[in-house]
Each structure stands twice: as C-alpha cells, then as structure tokens.
Amino acid sequence: DTEVTQTPKHLVMGMTNKKSLKCEQHMGHRAMYWYKQKAKKPPELMFVYSYEKLSINESVPSRFSPECPNSSLLNLHLHALQPEDSALYLCASSQSTNEKLFFGSGTQLSVL
Amino acid sequence: QKEVEQNSGPLSVPEGAIASLNCTYSDRGSQSFFWYRQYSGKSPELIMSIYSNGDKEDGRFTAQLNKASQYVSLLIRDSQPSDSATYLCAVLYNFNKFYFGSGTKLNVKP
C-alpha cells in the first residue's frame, strides 16, 4: 500500500462552520505534513508532524488546528475560515522528515 | 525564505522530442532534490529524486545536479502528450523542510 488517502475530496463551508480534513497512510511513515496550494502556485508548507509530535508550524493562523491521533492519521480542524482560505489542501507523508514526500489526492476547499 | 526558481513556461515541445526543465536554488546547504509532476487539479506525483552531483536516469527521465552552480534539471526523452503537466522542483533544507518552485508547465504537442 503506497497511498496517502484524504477525505473529503471536496468541501464547501461557510465562514462560521467547523469542519475537519482527514488523512491516512499505512506505509509506516513517521512524518506527516499539511500543505496548502492555491491555483497556479506551488504547495506551501503549513505543518509537519514527526513521530506524532508537531515539529513545524509555519506561522499558520489559529483557525487551522492540526492533530495527529496516531502515526497513521493526520487531521486538520477548520474553524471560522475566510474566503481567502479557499485552496487545495494536500496531506503528505514520508519515512522521516528528510525523505521524499508522498502526497494524497487533496481536499479542494471552498469557503463561502 | 529559501528560494527555488523555475521558468514558469509554458514549454512546448513536439512529441518525441527532449524536454529540458531547469531549477535553481538559493541555499548551498540543500541536501536533497526532487522533481514532481502535477496534472491540473491533481496532487503532485514524485518523478525523480537526486542527492549527489551528476546524472541519475530512470526510464525516459534523467535528473542532473550541479551543487556548485546550485542547479538541478530534468530531461524527458521521447516526450509524450501524456507528459503534459506542471513540473515542480522541490529542495530539502535543514533535513526537514521542503520548498517548492512555482513549477514549469510543459505542453507536448502530438
């Protein structure tokens, strides 16, 4: 199994909603990541978890809250988002933080 | 902020030709380099990784690295229309942060 699975694939939410993005991998990878990608732009790093601990937060607003319940799962909790937060949210994993990344298929998020 | 520079393109090549994609990076401390392919509306897919100076070949793809010039490239031989995509260069810094270039859009014309 070489997949990183993300759900949902599409999400539309209002600015007062609370929603969560989910990511799962069964490759035994110990590092997991959240990236944000706007149209025609490169992926931008948001968070890095290493061995289930948050190791990097790229000054992401608190309306984004990551969670790593175990080594296979990664969540991103969303609350009070803004329309400019609309983007493709990508989860990735790697064997360790200095190994190549494997991306999930992403969640296309629209904030109305 | 570490910089990874790519020509945005589009780069147009005829089917069967060699496509050459280039990337420069700003930090001499970079250790690892990767090329990802991204189709429109899809997630990035790893094509090649390269860690030491020289060439690395995998099928129709060849990655080239020159750390002295801070330059990494990707050659695609016998280009196919299915190779039409955006190619992202990624550079690993400090053993834990991947920075991506803005990507080069490749069009392979039948």
Side-chain angles (χ1 to χ4, degrees):
Chain A
D1 185 357
T2 58
E3 281 195 354
V4 178
T5 304
Q6 286 187 247
T7 56
K9 293 193 183 306
H10 301 276
L11 179 62
V12 179
M13 59 186 292
M15 290 189 286
T16 58
N17 292 158
K18 287 184 179 180
K19 297 287 184 183
S20 296
L21 310 185
K22 298 185 183 300
C23 176
E24 187 170 7
Q25 58 89 13
H26 294 289
M27 294 180 278
H29 288 175
R30 304 317 300 256
M32 297 188 76
Y33 309 75
W34 282 113
Y35 280 84
K36 172 183 176 180
Q37 187 177 26
K38 300 279 249 182
K40 301 188 187 302
K41 297 291 186 183
E44 294 180 6
L45 181 63
M46 300 176 72
F47 302 104
V48 180
Y49 274 84
S50 179
Y51 290 86
E52 302 166 43
K53 294 190 186 305
L54 183 65
S55 61
I56 295 176
N57 176 341
E58 289 284 90
S59 302
V60 179
S62 60
R63 57 185 184 270
F64 296 91
S65 176
E67 178 194 18
C68 189
N70 59 54
S71 60
S72 299
L73 294 174
L74 185 66
N75 299 322
L76 186 63
H77 303 296
L78 313 173
H79 173 57
L81 294 193
Q82 303 298 309
E84 59 265 28
D85 296 321
S86 298
L88 180 67
Y89 287 83
L90 294 163
C91 174
S93 71
S94 60
Q95 187 64 42
S96 62
T97 56
N98 62 346
E99 299 279 347
K100 52 196 167 191
L101 297 177
F102 292 88
F103 284 92
S105 57
T107 295
Q108 188 65 55
L109 174 67
S110 296
V111 182
L112 304 179
Chain B
Q1 178 70 18
K2 308 300 183 185
E3 292 195 357
V4 181
E5 300 285 344
Q6 292 182 256
N7 188 324
S8 62
L11 173 66
S12 292
V13 300
E15 184 176 355
I18 295 175
S20 178
L21 306 165
N22 304 314
C23 172
T24 58
Y25 58 95
S26 62
D27 193 327
R28 288 188 177 276
S30 308
Q31 305 96 23
S32 306
F33 308 86
F34 306 87
W35 283 99
Y36 285 83
R37 177 176 63 197
Q38 187 171 26
Y39 294 110
S40 181
K42 303 294 185 183
S43 61
E45 173 192 10
L46 181 67
I47 298 297
M48 293 281 290
S49 58
I50 188 165
Y51 306 100
S52 54
N53 282 328
D55 295 359
K56 179 181 178 182
E57 187 174 319
D58 184 0
R60 296 186 296 112
F61 299 95
T62 298
Q64 299 174 319
L65 175 61
N66 183 328
K67 289 187 177 180
S69 300
Q70 296 173 236
Y71 175 93
V72 58
S73 65
L74 179 70
L75 300 178
I76 306 175
R77 290 181 300 280
D78 189 23
S79 296
Q80 301 297 309
S82 58
D83 294 326
S84 297
T86 295
Y87 289 80
L88 299 166
C89 174
V91 179
L92 179 66
Y93 290 97
N94 294 330
F95 297 101
N96 64 3
K97 283 193 181 184
F98 288 84
Y99 287 94
F100 287 83
S102 56
T104 298
K105 186 175 175 60
L106 173 66
N107 291 328
V108 180
K109 297 183 176 181

